[in-house]
mmCIF file of all heavy atoms in Angstrom:
data_model
loop_
_atom_site.group_PDB
_atom_site.id
_atom_site.type_symbol
_atom_site.label_atom_id
_atom_site.label_comp_id
_atom_site.label_asym_id
_atom_site.label_seq_id
_atom_site.Cartn_x
_atom_site.Cartn_y
_atom_site.Cartn_z
ATOM 1 N N ARG A 442 52.720 -21.011 25.348
ATOM 2 C CA ARG A 442 53.926 -21.403 24.616
ATOM 3 C C ARG A 442 53.596 -22.426 23.531
ATOM 4 O O ARG A 442 54.038 -22.299 22.381
ATOM 5 C CB ARG A 442 54.954 -21.970 25.595
ATOM 6 C CG ARG A 442 56.258 -22.442 24.975
ATOM 7 C CD ARG A 442 57.280 -22.739 26.076
ATOM 8 N NE ARG A 442 58.478 -23.348 25.559
ATOM 9 C CZ ARG A 442 58.777 -24.638 25.639
ATOM 10 N NH1 ARG A 442 57.924 -25.470 26.247
ATOM 11 N NH2 ARG A 442 59.906 -25.122 25.152
ATOM 12 N N GLY A 443 52.820 -23.443 23.878
ATOM 13 C CA GLY A 443 52.460 -24.464 22.903
ATOM 14 C C GLY A 443 51.544 -23.927 21.818
ATOM 15 O O GLY A 443 51.676 -24.290 20.641
ATOM 16 N N ILE A 444 50.605 -23.064 22.190
ATOM 17 C CA ILE A 444 49.699 -22.473 21.199
ATOM 18 C C ILE A 444 50.473 -21.584 20.239
ATOM 19 O O ILE A 444 50.252 -21.616 19.020
ATOM 20 C CB ILE A 444 48.584 -21.686 21.912
ATOM 21 C CG1 ILE A 444 47.716 -22.641 22.727
ATOM 22 C CG2 ILE A 444 47.736 -20.903 20.914
ATOM 23 C CD1 ILE A 444 46.727 -21.954 23.646
ATOM 24 N N ALA A 445 51.410 -20.813 20.762
ATOM 25 C CA ALA A 445 52.230 -19.943 19.911
ATOM 26 C C ALA A 445 53.026 -20.753 18.900
ATOM 27 O O ALA A 445 53.174 -20.361 17.736
ATOM 28 C CB ALA A 445 53.168 -19.105 20.776
ATOM 29 N N ALA A 446 53.543 -21.904 19.328
ATOM 30 C CA ALA A 446 54.317 -22.754 18.416
ATOM 31 C C ALA A 446 53.454 -23.209 17.240
ATOM 32 O O ALA A 446 53.923 -23.263 16.090
ATOM 33 C CB ALA A 446 54.876 -23.954 19.169
ATOM 34 N N GLN A 447 52.176 -23.513 17.496
ATOM 35 C CA GLN A 447 51.268 -23.907 16.418
ATOM 36 C C GLN A 447 51.048 -22.764 15.435
ATOM 37 O O GLN A 447 50.811 -22.984 14.252
ATOM 38 C CB GLN A 447 49.928 -24.347 17.001
ATOM 39 C CG GLN A 447 49.992 -25.605 17.845
ATOM 40 C CD GLN A 447 48.631 -25.976 18.414
ATOM 41 O OE1 GLN A 447 47.622 -25.351 18.111
ATOM 42 N NE2 GLN A 447 48.604 -27.008 19.249
ATOM 43 N N LEU A 448 51.156 -21.544 15.932
ATOM 44 C CA LEU A 448 50.905 -20.364 15.113
ATOM 45 C C LEU A 448 52.190 -19.805 14.503
ATOM 46 O O LEU A 448 52.182 -18.726 13.911
ATOM 47 C CB LEU A 448 50.227 -19.285 15.965
ATOM 48 C CG LEU A 448 48.823 -19.657 16.469
ATOM 49 C CD1 LEU A 448 48.356 -18.684 17.538
ATOM 50 C CD2 LEU A 448 47.829 -19.676 15.303
ATOM 51 N N GLY A 449 53.294 -20.527 14.660
ATOM 52 C CA GLY A 449 54.542 -20.123 14.030
ATOM 53 C C GLY A 449 55.380 -19.161 14.827
ATOM 54 O O GLY A 449 56.309 -18.538 14.272
ATOM 55 N N ASP A 450 55.101 -19.008 16.130
ATOM 56 C CA ASP A 450 55.837 -18.050 16.949
ATOM 57 C C ASP A 450 56.551 -18.754 18.101
ATOM 58 O O ASP A 450 56.086 -19.764 18.623
ATOM 59 C CB ASP A 450 54.886 -16.992 17.522
ATOM 60 C CG ASP A 450 54.340 -16.071 16.450
ATOM 61 O OD1 ASP A 450 55.141 -15.452 15.736
ATOM 62 O OD2 ASP A 450 53.096 -15.987 16.326
ATOM 63 N N ARG A 451 57.665 -18.169 18.512
ATOM 64 C CA ARG A 451 58.378 -18.656 19.687
ATOM 65 C C ARG A 451 58.015 -17.771 20.866
ATOM 66 O O ARG A 451 58.261 -16.558 20.833
ATOM 67 C CB ARG A 451 59.892 -18.628 19.448
ATOM 68 C CG ARG A 451 60.707 -19.178 20.626
ATOM 69 C CD ARG A 451 62.175 -19.277 20.266
ATOM 70 N NE ARG A 451 62.956 -19.848 21.364
ATOM 71 C CZ ARG A 451 63.493 -19.143 22.345
ATOM 72 N NH1 ARG A 451 63.359 -17.815 22.365
ATOM 73 N NH2 ARG A 451 64.183 -19.736 23.309
ATOM 74 N N LEU A 452 57.437 -18.356 21.875
ATOM 75 C CA LEU A 452 57.016 -17.632 23.076
ATOM 76 C C LEU A 452 57.640 -18.354 24.265
ATOM 77 O O LEU A 452 57.086 -19.323 24.776
ATOM 78 C CB LEU A 452 55.485 -17.627 23.163
ATOM 79 C CG LEU A 452 54.848 -16.808 24.274
ATOM 80 C CD1 LEU A 452 55.097 -15.320 24.063
ATOM 81 C CD2 LEU A 452 53.350 -17.081 24.348
ATOM 82 N N ASN A 453 58.792 -17.883 24.697
ATOM 83 C CA ASN A 453 59.567 -18.611 25.702
ATOM 84 C C ASN A 453 59.095 -18.283 27.127
ATOM 85 O O ASN A 453 59.842 -17.767 27.953
ATOM 86 C CB ASN A 453 61.056 -18.313 25.550
ATOM 87 C CG ASN A 453 61.915 -19.360 26.250
ATOM 88 O OD1 ASN A 453 61.425 -20.419 26.637
ATOM 89 N ND2 ASN A 453 63.188 -19.070 26.422
ATOM 90 N N ILE A 454 57.852 -18.612 27.392
ATOM 91 C CA ILE A 454 57.279 -18.428 28.729
ATOM 92 C C ILE A 454 57.648 -19.623 29.601
ATOM 93 O O ILE A 454 57.557 -20.769 29.163
ATOM 94 C CB ILE A 454 55.753 -18.276 28.649
ATOM 95 C CG1 ILE A 454 55.379 -16.853 28.204
ATOM 96 C CG2 ILE A 454 55.080 -18.617 29.969
ATOM 97 C CD1 ILE A 454 53.899 -16.650 28.031
ATOM 98 N N TYR A 455 58.046 -19.327 30.848
ATOM 99 C CA TYR A 455 58.298 -20.404 31.805
ATOM 100 C C TYR A 455 57.322 -20.261 32.973
ATOM 101 O O TYR A 455 57.062 -19.152 33.434
ATOM 102 C CB TYR A 455 59.738 -20.368 32.327
ATOM 103 C CG TYR A 455 60.113 -21.647 33.045
ATOM 104 C CD1 TYR A 455 60.594 -22.738 32.334
ATOM 105 C CD2 TYR A 455 59.931 -21.778 34.420
ATOM 106 C CE1 TYR A 455 60.899 -23.937 32.978
ATOM 107 C CE2 TYR A 455 60.229 -22.969 35.074
ATOM 108 C CZ TYR A 455 60.717 -24.045 34.345
ATOM 109 O OH TYR A 455 61.001 -25.232 34.983
ATOM 110 N N PRO A 456 56.783 -21.393 33.462
ATOM 111 C CA PRO A 456 55.850 -21.324 34.596
ATOM 112 C C PRO A 456 56.608 -21.179 35.919
ATOM 113 O O PRO A 456 57.331 -22.092 36.319
ATOM 114 C CB PRO A 456 55.118 -22.661 34.524
ATOM 115 C CG PRO A 456 56.093 -23.592 33.868
ATOM 116 C CD PRO A 456 56.913 -22.751 32.924
ATOM 117 N N VAL A 457 56.462 -20.056 36.581
ATOM 118 C CA VAL A 457 57.116 -19.816 37.871
ATOM 119 C C VAL A 457 56.042 -19.851 38.948
ATOM 120 O O VAL A 457 55.206 -18.953 39.039
ATOM 121 C CB VAL A 457 57.871 -18.472 37.882
ATOM 122 C CG1 VAL A 457 58.553 -18.259 39.235
ATOM 123 C CG2 VAL A 457 58.908 -18.441 36.754
ATOM 124 N N LYS A 458 56.067 -20.904 39.745
ATOM 125 C CA LYS A 458 54.988 -21.116 40.707
ATOM 126 C C LYS A 458 55.096 -20.167 41.899
ATOM 127 O O LYS A 458 56.176 -19.951 42.451
ATOM 128 C CB LYS A 458 55.004 -22.561 41.222
ATOM 129 C CG LYS A 458 53.771 -22.921 42.073
ATOM 130 C CD LYS A 458 53.963 -24.205 42.858
ATOM 131 C CE LYS A 458 54.040 -25.400 41.980
ATOM 132 N NZ LYS A 458 54.072 -26.675 42.775
ATOM 133 N N GLY A 459 53.964 -19.599 42.265
ATOM 134 C CA GLY A 459 53.857 -18.804 43.473
ATOM 135 C C GLY A 459 52.794 -19.401 44.381
ATOM 136 O O GLY A 459 51.875 -20.085 43.924
ATOM 137 N N TYR A 460 52.935 -19.163 45.662
ATOM 138 C CA TYR A 460 51.999 -19.708 46.652
ATOM 139 C C TYR A 460 51.302 -18.572 47.390
ATOM 140 O O TYR A 460 51.832 -17.453 47.491
ATOM 141 C CB TYR A 460 52.726 -20.576 47.677
ATOM 142 C CG TYR A 460 53.264 -21.872 47.133
ATOM 143 C CD1 TYR A 460 54.496 -21.920 46.490
ATOM 144 C CD2 TYR A 460 52.553 -23.058 47.274
ATOM 145 C CE1 TYR A 460 55.005 -23.113 46.000
ATOM 146 C CE2 TYR A 460 53.047 -24.257 46.797
ATOM 147 C CZ TYR A 460 54.280 -24.276 46.148
ATOM 148 O OH TYR A 460 54.777 -25.465 45.663
ATOM 149 N N SER A 461 50.140 -18.867 47.919
ATOM 150 C CA SER A 461 49.472 -17.910 48.799
ATOM 151 C C SER A 461 48.676 -18.662 49.857
ATOM 152 O O SER A 461 48.342 -19.835 49.692
ATOM 153 C CB SER A 461 48.535 -16.972 48.015
ATOM 154 O OG SER A 461 47.299 -17.604 47.716
ATOM 155 N N ILE A 462 48.401 -17.949 50.933
ATOM 156 C CA ILE A 462 47.424 -18.415 51.918
ATOM 157 C C ILE A 462 46.424 -17.288 52.135
ATOM 158 O O ILE A 462 46.794 -16.106 52.134
ATOM 159 C CB ILE A 462 48.065 -18.822 53.264
ATOM 160 C CG1 ILE A 462 48.856 -17.657 53.874
ATOM 161 C CG2 ILE A 462 48.936 -20.048 53.103
ATOM 162 C CD1 ILE A 462 49.362 -17.914 55.294
ATOM 163 N N THR A 463 45.173 -17.654 52.269
ATOM 164 C CA THR A 463 44.145 -16.706 52.660
ATOM 165 C C THR A 463 43.750 -17.042 54.091
ATOM 166 O O THR A 463 43.211 -18.125 54.362
ATOM 167 C CB THR A 463 42.927 -16.788 51.734
ATOM 168 O OG1 THR A 463 43.344 -16.554 50.385
ATOM 169 C CG2 THR A 463 41.885 -15.745 52.130
ATOM 170 N N VAL A 464 44.067 -16.139 55.002
ATOM 171 C CA VAL A 464 43.793 -16.347 56.416
ATOM 172 C C VAL A 464 42.373 -15.878 56.705
ATOM 173 O O VAL A 464 42.021 -14.717 56.425
ATOM 174 C CB VAL A 464 44.799 -15.585 57.296
ATOM 175 C CG1 VAL A 464 44.547 -15.872 58.776
ATOM 176 C CG2 VAL A 464 46.233 -15.946 56.918
ATOM 177 N N GLU A 465 41.571 -16.766 57.222
ATOM 178 C CA GLU A 465 40.188 -16.436 57.563
ATOM 179 C C GLU A 465 40.175 -15.753 58.933
ATOM 180 O O GLU A 465 40.523 -16.374 59.947
ATOM 181 C CB GLU A 465 39.332 -17.696 57.598
ATOM 182 C CG GLU A 465 39.290 -18.469 56.287
ATOM 183 C CD GLU A 465 38.558 -17.711 55.194
ATOM 184 O OE1 GLU A 465 37.746 -16.826 55.519
ATOM 185 O OE2 GLU A 465 38.796 -18.011 54.006
ATOM 186 N N LEU A 466 39.799 -14.485 58.945
ATOM 187 C CA LEU A 466 39.766 -13.704 60.197
ATOM 188 C C LEU A 466 38.386 -13.876 60.829
ATOM 189 O O LEU A 466 37.495 -13.030 60.687
ATOM 190 C CB LEU A 466 40.067 -12.237 59.898
ATOM 191 C CG LEU A 466 41.370 -11.973 59.124
ATOM 192 C CD1 LEU A 466 41.501 -10.495 58.773
ATOM 193 C CD2 LEU A 466 42.579 -12.444 59.929
ATOM 194 N N THR A 467 38.224 -14.978 61.525
ATOM 195 C CA THR A 467 36.902 -15.362 62.006
ATOM 196 C C THR A 467 36.527 -14.759 63.352
ATOM 197 O O THR A 467 35.378 -14.860 63.771
ATOM 198 C CB THR A 467 36.808 -16.893 62.112
ATOM 199 O OG1 THR A 467 37.857 -17.362 62.966
ATOM 200 C CG2 THR A 467 36.958 -17.546 60.741
ATOM 201 N N ASP A 468 37.493 -14.137 64.044
ATOM 202 C CA ASP A 468 37.184 -13.549 65.348
ATOM 203 C C ASP A 468 37.624 -12.092 65.372
ATOM 204 O O ASP A 468 38.473 -11.656 64.582
ATOM 205 C CB ASP A 468 37.885 -14.321 66.468
ATOM 206 C CG ASP A 468 39.394 -14.340 66.292
ATOM 207 O OD1 ASP A 468 40.072 -13.427 66.783
ATOM 208 O OD2 ASP A 468 39.902 -15.271 65.626
ATOM 209 N N GLU A 469 37.051 -11.335 66.256
ATOM 210 C CA GLU A 469 37.314 -9.896 66.319
ATOM 211 C C GLU A 469 38.759 -9.599 66.661
ATOM 212 O O GLU A 469 39.340 -8.633 66.155
ATOM 213 C CB GLU A 469 36.384 -9.250 67.348
ATOM 214 C CG GLU A 469 36.481 -7.714 67.357
ATOM 215 C CD GLU A 469 35.472 -7.080 68.289
ATOM 216 O OE1 GLU A 469 34.559 -7.796 68.763
ATOM 217 O OE2 GLU A 469 35.604 -5.867 68.539
ATOM 218 N N VAL A 470 39.388 -10.426 67.500
ATOM 219 C CA VAL A 470 40.788 -10.204 67.858
ATOM 220 C C VAL A 470 41.677 -10.283 66.615
ATOM 221 O O VAL A 470 42.538 -9.430 66.399
ATOM 222 C CB VAL A 470 41.243 -11.239 68.913
ATOM 223 C CG1 VAL A 470 42.748 -11.137 69.148
ATOM 224 C CG2 VAL A 470 40.495 -11.028 70.219
ATOM 225 N N SER A 471 41.466 -11.278 65.779
ATOM 226 C CA SER A 471 42.249 -11.423 64.555
ATOM 227 C C SER A 471 41.984 -10.275 63.583
ATOM 228 O O SER A 471 42.899 -9.782 62.918
ATOM 229 C CB SER A 471 41.933 -12.763 63.877
ATOM 230 O OG SER A 471 42.392 -13.842 64.646
ATOM 231 N N GLN A 472 40.751 -9.850 63.498
ATOM 232 C CA GLN A 472 40.412 -8.742 62.604
ATOM 233 C C GLN A 472 41.114 -7.463 63.021
ATOM 234 O O GLN A 472 41.561 -6.686 62.177
ATOM 235 C CB GLN A 472 38.895 -8.551 62.583
ATOM 236 C CG GLN A 472 38.158 -9.693 61.915
ATOM 237 C CD GLN A 472 36.646 -9.584 62.047
ATOM 238 O OE1 GLN A 472 36.132 -8.614 62.599
ATOM 239 N NE2 GLN A 472 35.929 -10.590 61.561
#
Side-chain angles (χ1 to χ4, degrees):
R442 179 170 173 258
I444 295 171
Q447 295 179 5
L448 295 168
D450 291 304
R451 182 173 182 272
L452 186 66
N453 198 13
I454 282 177
Y455 194 86
V457 181
K458 189 195 292 187
Y460 291 84
S461 80
I462 58 172
T463 303
V464 183
E465 301 292 338
L466 306 175
T467 56
D468 59 89
E469 187 175 349
V470 172
S471 292
Q472 292 173 3

